[in-house]
Amino acid sequence: MLIAARGFLAGCTYHCRVTSAKRVLLAKPRGYCAGVDRAVQTVEEALTLYGAPVYVRKQIVHNKHVVSTLEARGAIFVEENEEVPEGSTVVFSAHGVAPEVHEQARARNLKAIDATCPLVTKVHHEAKRFASEDYDILLIGHEGHEEVIGTAGEAPAHIQLVDGPDDVENVVVRDPSKVVWLSQTTLSVDETMETVARLKTRLPLLQSPPSDDICYATSNRQHVIKEIAPDCDVVIVVGSTNSSNSVRLVEVALGAGARAGHLVDYASEIQDEWLEGASTVGVSSGASVPDDLVMEVLAFLADRGFGEVTEYTTAEERLTFSLPQELRRDMKAAAAARELAAAATARA
């Protein structure tokens, strides 16, 4: 369908022109997933409830714009709990943490709010379960990624990392009949399946997780990129370089037939030479990207003649997650206190 888009920061509206010789294929789903929305809202609500500063261990989500926006509201991002003053509030990022991080928070008397995505928590539970049954666990993921560190921390004696298909030859297990694979939630679906296929040639009895570990949002965004990429001269993905799912979108676009692909945080990073000779530009965004940044990219492209925008939808996402229990409890208590204060004032 043809759509109209709004440039949020500029405050201007432009409309698609069917007569334009240049076009944009806009991917949907794109942008915020349920886990990211929950994590960002957790920090926002914590700032409202407790007041600034609220400390956040690691980036709450891997997006430069989101982090800087929350910093402007009073969030302070740190690398480790040791940087948080004793007794302060700390939010754990959407990527999950190892059990020792919770222990460190308790030792420092920190008020910890765990914003781990529930889909990441699911993988943590799987790791603990299989470890309790004495399985060797092959965790497919990228070395050093926060999610991988957190999951591996649940059962370090049982988990070994498999960093892509080429790492399969390094796998060593105790009992080939008691091996299971799990994965980071933000990987390339195709590359993960290639890794699993190679693992199964070496370990025919390798078991799979009870349900897909790669999250629905990652899969959906990759699927729609595959659909539009063959028709694109260039694909622009909005997202940060430390965002695994955003980086994967560029890779998937190129693998599916796009002639070029680029990752940008902001429309201002797009280089005009990328568009030279192009007639079709694909646009998508990673799962931690607010949609106003995508609208700015559309405005940028419209100013350069790419005024016809066709949105391709391959899935509808309606999943939502409730806020962390500890935050909801405090919000409920604060609301009750306000009601009591209002009633007392009314009686007076």
Side-chain angles (χ1 to χ4, degrees):
M1 67 175 176
L2 295 180
I3 66 171
R6 177 177 297 275
F8 284 87
L9 292 188
C12 62
T13 302
Y14 65 91
H15 294 277
C16 305
R17 291 183 297 230
V18 181
T19 57
S20 172
K22 300 177 179 180
R23 63 173 182 161
V24 174
L25 303 184
L26 178 62
K28 183 181 179 181
R30 61 181 181 273
Y32 270 13
C33 64
V36 165
D37 190 46
R38 173 183 187 265
V40 174
Q41 189 181 353
T42 294
V43 179
E44 293 172 339
E45 293 290 351
L47 285 164
T48 300
L49 184 61
Y50 308 122
V54 166
Y55 293 84
V56 184
R57 184 184 179 276
K58 308 292 186 181
Q59 292 188 0
I60 186 65
V61 295
H62 286 159
N63 183 263
K64 183 187 298 185
H65 178 77
V66 170
V67 169
S68 62
T69 300
L70 292 173
E71 282 179 328
R73 290 193 54 183
I76 297 177
F77 292 86
V78 300
E79 286 300 304
E80 300 296 343
N81 286 335
E82 287 77 8
E83 301 171 57
V84 182
E86 290 195 16
S88 299
T89 299
V90 62
V91 178
F92 297 148
S93 79
H95 307 104
V97 297
E100 65 179 4
V101 176
H102 289 278
E103 295 168 6
Q104 293 165 357
R106 285 191 289 269
R108 293 184 61 79
N109 193 32
L110 302 180
K111 182 178 185 60
I113 300 172
D114 190 354
T116 300
C117 173
L119 299 180
V120 175
T121 299
K122 176 185 79 73
V123 181
H124 283 220
H125 290 327
E126 290 170 351
K128 289 187 286 186
R129 173 194 147 196
F130 284 110
S132 71
E133 297 173 5
D134 202 31
Y135 275 76
D136 280 341
I137 302 168
L138 306 181
L139 178 59
I140 302 172
H142 297 304
E143 185 173 4
H145 191 279
E146 290 161 35
E147 184 183 327
V148 166
I149 294 170
T151 301
E154 294 287 359
H158 289 264
I159 292 177
Q160 60 181 296
L161 179 66
V162 183
D163 197 344
D166 294 337
D167 199 25
V168 169
E169 62 186 25
N170 299 318
V171 170
V172 178
V173 300
R174 296 169 299 158
D175 182 353
S177 68
K178 291 197 71 172
V179 188
V180 64
W181 70 270
L182 305 177
S183 81
Q184 182 181 329
T185 63
T186 55
L187 299 179
S188 161
V189 176
D190 291 342
E191 183 176 310
T192 301
M193 291 302 100
E194 181 185 349
T195 302
V196 171
R198 290 197 192 184
L199 284 169
K200 286 187 174 180
T201 62
R202 293 193 56 198
L203 302 164
L205 299 180
L206 178 70
Q207 295 189 36
S208 299
S211 58
D212 288 344
D213 283 347
I214 296 178
C215 86
Y216 75 95
T218 297
S219 299
N220 287 345
R221 282 149 188 72
Q222 291 178 17
H223 179 68
V224 68
I225 277 286
K226 284 183 181 180
E227 291 292 312
I228 67 174
D231 295 323
C232 294
D233 298 301
V234 58
V235 168
I236 295 172
V237 175
V238 186
S240 295
T241 56
N242 64 336
S243 167
S244 176
N245 75 87
S246 299
V247 172
R248 300 290 85 74
L249 284 176
V250 177
E251 295 173 351
V252 169
L254 293 172
R259 265 67 81 191
H262 303 280
L263 183 66
V264 300
D265 272 295
Y266 300 102
S268 59
E269 297 173 7
I270 299 173
Q271 299 178 27
D272 285 329
E273 51 263 37
W274 297 349
L275 307 176
E276 290 179 1
S279 60
T280 302
V281 176
V283 174
S284 186
S285 60
S288 52
V289 177
D291 208 45
D292 56 343
L293 299 184
V294 177
M295 296 301 107
E296 290 172 23
V297 168
L298 296 183
F300 179 98
L301 293 172
D303 288 343
R304 285 151 181 81
F306 292 86
E308 180 183 322
V309 181
T310 303
E311 188 173 60
Y312 277 78
T313 303
T314 57
E316 295 290 343
E317 295 179 348
R318 297 183 176 87
L319 183 65
T320 59
F321 295 128
S322 60
L323 294 172
Q325 181 179 354
E326 54 271 35
L327 180 60
R328 284 186 283 119
R329 182 180 60 242
D330 287 355
M331 291 172 66
K332 183 177 180 180
R338 287 194 298 269
E339 290 179 4
L340 286 174
T345 300
R347 286 195 299 270

